[in-house]
Each structure stands twice: as C-alpha cells, then as structure tokens.
Amino acid sequence: MITSKLRVPLAVATAAVAVGALAGCSGSGDGGSTAAADTYTWWDPYPQHEEGSDWANRVQDCGTEAGVTIERTAYDTTSLTNQALLAAQEGTSPDIILLDNPAVSTLADTGMLTTMDELGLDTSDIDSNLLAAGEIDGQAYGIPIGANTLALYYNEDVLSAAGVDPASITDWASLTDALAAVTAAGHKGISFAGINTEEGSFQFLPWFWGAGADLTQLDSPEAVDALQLWTDWVNNGYAPNSVITNSQNTVWEEFLTGDFGFAENGTWQVNSAAEADFPTGVIELPAMNGGVAPAPTGGEFIIAPVQQDTGRYETTKQIIECMTTPEGFVETANTFAYYIPPTDAGQQALLEEHPELETWVSAVQAAKGRTSDNLGTDYPLISEQLWTAVQSALSGAATPEEALAAAQEAAAAETGK
C-alpha cells in the first residue's frame, strides 16, 4: 500500500530548480492517474534521443515486457524538474520519471514520490555511495540507472615530452610537480571548469572532498586547502585564467587543441578522447594526501510519482525492474556509451565487454552523491555559495579563506543551519 502524501506548495512547484550537472519530444503532459490502463507515461531528460532511437526503443521494450505501451515525453533537465512539480500539484504525474540525481530530494521533499520499499523494489545490490544521492532519512526514492563522474584525462604526447609518468601522480604534490614539468616544457598544464554555475561546484568537489572537507562547513581548513590548490595553479600559470569562465564543454575544447597536459572531465568524453588527434589516457583524481578523491556522481534515477490509482504500481514496478537488472544496466551503459552500472554485477558485466573502462568503474565506486549526507534540498543553496567562493578566489577578489568564510556565512543564512 502506497502511503505517501502529496504536499506541493505553489511556490515550490513554480520555482526553477538549478541543480543539473551535466546535462525534444513534446507530449500532452497527461500523467499516470488519467492515462489508459494499457498506457504508462514516462518522462526523461533526453530530448536528443528521438522516437526510433536506441534509447526510445529500449524504453518501449520494457513496456512491452510488462504488457503495456509507454508514452514517452522528453524535456531538458531543468524543465523536467519543474514540469514534474507542476504535474504533481495538478494530479497529472507520469507513472515513471528519469531525473537528474540531485533533484530527487527536491521532488521527494514535496511528498510526490513513492519509496522503493513502498513499491516492493529491492535496492540492496545498488552501490551504497550511488544510492545515497536518492535517499532521505534512510528511505530510497529511486534507483540510479547508471552513473558518470569525473577523472583526469591526459595527453600522452605532452606528458612524454615533459618526462612525466602518469603513474607517478598519486596525490596533490605529485600532480602539481607534473604540472610544473609540463609548463616548463612549453605546454599548458591543466584545464578545469570554475564557472559560476553548478558545473563549477561539480568540478571543484573532488578537490574539496579530497582534502577531507564537508559541505556542511564550507570554511573548514580542509576546504581552504582545496581552494588554495586551484588558486595557486592559476597564479603559477599551471592553469589558464580562462578556467573562471570555463564550462565543462569549454574545458574539453581546450584539451582537444593538444596544448594541455591534463583536463578534468567526465565519463561522457570517453568516445571523444578515443577519437582525439593525439593519444590520451585517464587517471583517477587524487586526494590531497594520496588515494582516490571522491568525485560527484552524475546520472539519472528512475523514480515513481504517487498515483491516485494505486493499481498501476505493480506494472510500474515491472517496468523499473526491466531497466535495473544487471543486463538492463549494461544495455543502458552501451546505449549512452558513458554510464557505469550501479551494481557490482553490472560493472563486471560491462568490463567483460569494455575492459578499457576499468578506471571509470573504479572512479564511480569511489564517487559520492552531491545530496548525500542527508543534505537534500539544502544542497543547491550550499552549492551556489561554493561556486561563488571559487569565483571570488580565482579572480583575486578575495583570499580562499575570505571567500569561503563568506560562503559559509551565506549558506548558513540560506539553510538555517
């Protein structure tokens, strides 16, 4: 029996939710509660995958397996969250949504989502670090269909010319030494995205977490260490001044020029890296004192909004199960070419087909959800102050200590904590 109660304030339902990290078809927007019994409604953030595409066919196959037809509508990431909130208020929620993982807590906080326990879905095989992005107070409100994350791509030719062995990079000090060697050899060191959007926070978090910092205390000594690292790289010429306005796409365009030794970027660039005009490699992002830094997870969760007709849940469960078997996770990974399955069985099956993804599987295993630690809807408020601090320090407007002190004060005022 589904017991979730809907509580969607108008102010929340109509507000823009800017938590997409990464990043079509139009539909009526009619939700599951008004749909025909043999038609189930599905929303996702993939307008680039039109009807007839591998992805669209995969969705329909899961409907066919459950004995129903799926009516699919695609929105861009931010529009999808807003449409979902409005539909919940109007009582027209779709049966299933694929939602960017930081936004799951936003929808769950309104009471518009069922929990996986309520649907009778077992999440015990899902990697706990990935499932945590969709958990609030111990309850899972969705299942990740896969995850992407960040690592360091490198240009083999540039590193070779500088005498840098990528295997020697195990911590911040050895990475900084490598950047010094690369720039001394006449090349550019590293590019990353320090832009004043969620992408800026997304790219800074591995260094923030890799120093041992926590999002509930933005001005900790560990946080200052992380921002000082980026600031020193810019001041010493190891990273260009352009990082302050770089998006992740811009970072990749800079890397593809062949001038940079390193670029921080994501799983979604695997195919592009393989097609680059120079040989490339990838290493996991190092933590300050060694080991792998937790990088934030990207990727969508499959979630089930509350329906007035509770008889629909059994078929919804079947569709979700189709998408989340080990084979289903691998099929999703192959369809998108950059999603790592969220279970050990799925990861091992993927590596059997694509052993070259081993570094990325390891990076996902070490990754962390941005809304983990029960941050929930506080995360977007904290993140905005974090990227603001990064901007302030990289521009020279404030020291890392000053920038993060201001960020912590503002975040505490926003969250009331």
Side-chain angles (χ1 to χ4, degrees):
M1 178 68 176
I2 303 299
T3 58
S4 296
K5 303 298 182 186
L6 189 61
R7 52 181 192 283
V8 190
L10 179 62
V12 173
T14 58
V17 182
V19 293
L22 307 174
C25 303
S26 61
S28 65
D30 290 337
S33 60
T34 58
D38 61 350
T39 300
Y40 277 64
T41 47
W42 169 295
W43 292 359
D44 66 43
Y46 310 134
Q48 70 274 30
H49 296 286
E50 299 176 350
E51 293 310 304
S53 66
D54 289 345
W55 171 249
N57 290 339
R58 168 146 169 63
V59 171
Q60 292 299 337
D61 286 346
C62 282
T64 300
E65 187 173 311
V68 297
T69 297
I70 290 181
E71 179 183 302
R72 174 178 171 257
T73 303
Y75 300 94
D76 67 63
T77 298
T78 300
S79 295
L80 176 59
T81 303
N82 293 332
Q83 288 292 332
L85 290 166
L86 288 169
Q89 186 185 24
E90 296 167 356
T92 58
S93 293
D95 293 285
I96 294 170
I97 303 176
L98 283 190
L99 192 71
D100 192 27
N101 72 77
V104 174
S105 58
T106 299
L107 269 59
D109 190 60
T110 70
M112 67 170 285
L113 300 183
T114 66
T115 68
M116 296 302 96
D117 282 347
E118 288 170 332
L119 275 181
L121 286 163
D122 182 8
T123 60
S124 61
D125 289 339
I126 307 296
D127 287 354
S128 59
N129 65 316
L130 303 180
L131 187 65
E135 288 181 317
I136 298 177
D137 296 329
Q139 287 290 333
Y141 286 87
I143 296 175
I145 62 166
N148 52 46
T149 194
L150 297 167
L152 275 183
Y153 287 92
Y154 62 85
N155 182 322
E156 291 183 9
D157 290 343
V158 169
L159 266 59
S160 179
V164 173
D165 179 1
S168 70
I169 299 170
T170 58
D171 54 19
W172 289 4
S174 54
L175 175 56
T176 300
D177 287 344
L179 297 179
V182 166
T183 54
H187 296 283
K188 298 177 181 178
I190 187 170
S191 185
F192 53 82
I195 191 171
N196 60 336
T197 69
E198 176 62 21
E199 289 190 14
S201 291
F202 191 76
Q203 289 232 328
F204 182 61
L205 279 172
W207 314 99
F208 183 88
W209 285 332
D214 189 289
L215 285 169
T216 60
Q217 194 64 43
L218 296 180
D219 59 350
S220 68
E222 294 83 1
V224 173
D225 285 340
L227 189 49
Q228 189 67 60
L229 178 74
W230 268 21
T231 303
D232 287 346
W233 284 351
V234 172
N235 290 341
N236 292 329
Y238 301 157
N241 290 328
S242 63
V243 295
I244 197 170
T245 57
N246 274 0
S247 67
Q248 293 186 112
N249 284 338
T250 307
V251 169
W252 194 247
E253 290 168 1
E254 289 182 338
F255 183 65
L256 290 180
T257 64
D259 293 334
F260 284 82
F262 299 90
E264 180 180 352
N265 226 289
T267 328
W268 51 91
Q269 301 293 6
V270 166
N271 288 344
S272 179
E275 297 167 358
D277 294 333
F278 48 88
T280 65
V282 63
I283 58 174
E284 292 169 273
L285 291 157
M288 180 169 66
N289 296 317
V292 179
T297 57
E300 282 74 42
F301 271 58
I302 189 166
I303 59 177
V306 170
Q307 301 294 328
Q308 294 176 1
D309 179 2
T310 58
R312 300 181 68 82
Y313 291 126
E314 182 56 36
T315 299
T316 295
K317 175 184 176 182
Q318 293 176 41
I319 295 169
I320 293 176
E321 286 178 330
C322 173
M323 295 293 297
T324 57
T325 62
E327 299 78 15
F329 286 136
V330 172
E331 188 171 347
T332 296
N334 286 332
T335 299
F336 289 135
Y338 53 75
Y339 271 162
I340 302 300
T343 65
D344 180 69
Q347 290 163 6
Q348 295 310 311
L350 179 67
L351 288 176
E352 288 179 8
E353 295 185 24
H354 301 285
E356 71 278 7
L357 294 177
E358 183 175 2
T359 298
W360 288 109
V361 168
S362 180
V364 164
Q365 290 171 343
K368 182 174 180 176
R370 285 163 279 173
T371 57
S372 297
D373 300 328
N374 222 38
L375 288 178
T377 54
D378 285 342
Y379 172 75
L381 305 173
I382 295 169
S383 176
E384 182 174 0
Q385 299 308 322
L386 185 61
W387 82 57
T388 299
V390 170
Q391 287 274 302
S392 184
L394 294 185
S395 68
T399 66
E401 293 92 340
E402 293 167 344
L404 288 166
Q408 177 58 29
E409 182 178 358
E414 289 276 359
T415 63
K417 297 177 182 177

